[in-house]
Amino acid sequence: MEVIILENADAVAQLGARRICELIKKKPNAVLGLATGSTQIAMYQHLIRLYRERQVSFRSVTSFNLDEYIGINPENPQSYRSFMKRELFDAIDIDRENTHLPACENNVNPRKAGSAYERQIAAAGGIDLQVLGIGSNGHIGFNEPTSSLVSRTRVKTLTETTVTDNSRLFKEGEFQPHLAMTMGIATILDARRAILLATGEQKAQAVKDAIEGPIAAMCPASALQLHERATFILDRAAASKLQNTAYYQWVHSENTPLVEKYGNFYEIDG
Ligand code: F6R
C-alpha cells in the first residue's frame, strides 16, 4: 500500500486527476472505475481543466461507476447517472455509450442485474484504475460495514450513518433512497490499480481503520490491504489519526528518486 499525505484537499484532488491522466496517456483506451461524492467533484474539476488544456482526451476511455441508487430513475437529478453527467461527462469528450453505471430497474431481478454488470466489466477487459472515496464508516462504493469481503455487484441497504451523511444533498421532504446497487469488494479488488482519495477530519477514523487496522468487514476499505497496487491519497486532516505518518512520508521521499528514474507503478504494464 502506498500512503501519500498532502497539504490540503486541493492537492489531493490534483494528484488524483494527474494519476488518471498518466494512465490515459499510456493507455488511451483505459477502463476507469469511477466514484461519486463531494471528494470526487474536486478531482473531476481538475480532470476537466486538464482536458480543456488538451493534456488528456477521454475519446477512447470506458468507465464503470461504483454504484447507483435504487428507487429513483436515471433522469432524476439525484441519481448518480445525473451526477456523473453534470460533474464530468458533459464537460469532456467521453463517448456516452462507453459510460456505465450499475442499474436495477423495477421488476428486474437484482441478482441478474449484478452479474450482468460484472460481465460487462469483464468484457471491457477489466478495470485498469478504480477511483474510490471512503465513507465516514469506512465504506467503499456502497459496501457498508459487514459487507462480505468477497462480495460482487449487488443490492445493499445503506446504513443510517450513510443516509445521514448524504442527507445534506437532499431537500427537506425529497425522497432519499436507502437502497443502492454497488460493485462488491471483490469487484473493486479485481481492478489492476486503485486510488482512494480522502479529505477532511470526518474521514480520519475510517482512514486509520482502513490503513492501520485489521482487515475487517466492519471497515470495508481495509480490504484494500489485500490489493497489490492501492494508493491512499490523503490531506493532513484525513491522515490526522494515523500512527505511522512519519514512515509514510519517509517512504514517499525515498520513492521520489526511484519514480523519477524508473517511473511510478502506474507505468508498469498489465
Ligand atoms: C459513491 C461512493 C462512496 C463515496 C463516499 C465518500 O460513488 O463510492 O463510497 O465515495 O461516500 O463520499 P464523499 O466524498 O461525499 O464524502
Side-chain angles (χ1 to χ4, degrees), residues 9 198-204 235 237-239:
T199 59
E201 212 186 320
Q202 74 281 13
K203 302 294 173 67
D235 70 355

Side-chain angles (χ1 to χ4, degrees), residues 9 94 124 127 138 140 162 178 191 200 204 206 255:
I94 196 163
I127 291 173
I140 44 176
T162 298
H178 44 258
N255 272 346

Side-chain angles (χ1 to χ4, degrees), residues 35-39 66-67 80 133-135 139-141 168 203:
T36 57
S38 315
T39 319
L66 282 165
D67 41 21
Y80 283 171
I134 185 169
H139 73 207
I140 44 176
R168 71 188 192 281
K203 302 294 173 67

Side-chain angles (χ1 to χ4, degrees), residues 40-200:
Q40 309 303 331
I41 293 180
M43 196 271 284
Y44 292 148
Q45 282 169 358
H46 281 289
L47 266 191
I48 293 168
R49 177 182 53 76
L50 292 167
Y51 165 72
R52 289 190 178 141
E53 290 169 1
R54 296 180 190 274
Q55 297 198 42
V56 65
S57 165
F58 297 83
R59 210 173 307 123
S60 308
V61 166
T62 298
S63 71
F64 287 91
N65 264 76
L66 282 165
D67 41 21
E68 177 60 288
Y69 284 128
I70 291 181
I72 52 177
N73 63 38
E75 290 73 42
N76 185 310
Q78 293 287 8
S79 77
Y80 283 171
R81 165 60 75 186
S82 299
F83 174 102
M84 290 307 298
K85 212 171 133 8
R86 199 166 53 234
E87 304 298 340
L88 184 67
F89 297 156
D90 279 354
I92 59 171
D93 61 347
I94 196 163
D95 181 346
R96 224 45 70 68
E97 295 286 304
N98 294 338
T99 64
H100 309 275
L101 283 91
C104 192
E105 314 292 335
N106 282 344
N107 304 323
V108 173
N109 177 341
R111 277 183 198 276
K112 287 198 174 154
S115 44
Y117 200 60
E118 296 279 336
R119 280 196 301 277
Q120 272 187 305
I121 295 173
I127 291 173
D128 290 303
L129 173 61
Q130 177 65 58
V131 182
L132 299 161
I134 185 169
S136 62
N137 62 1
H139 73 207
I140 44 176
F142 272 139
N143 294 286
E144 298 285 34
T146 70
S147 285
S148 159
L149 300 182
V150 293
S151 50
R152 293 275 163 193
T153 306
R154 70 213 183 288
V155 175
K156 281 298 291 181
T157 303
L158 308 187
T159 58
E160 214 180 317
T161 311
T162 298
V163 172
T164 308
D165 282 353
N166 289 353
S167 63
R168 71 188 192 281
L169 305 168
F170 290 82
K171 291 189 214 83
E172 219 188 301
E174 189 179 15
F175 171 70
Q176 182 181 356
H178 44 258
L179 289 177
M181 189 88 182
T182 180
M183 278 187 202
I185 295 177
T187 323
I188 292 169
L189 293 181
D190 277 351
R192 285 186 269 280
R193 303 154 183 83
I195 52 174
L196 186 149
L197 313 184
T199 59

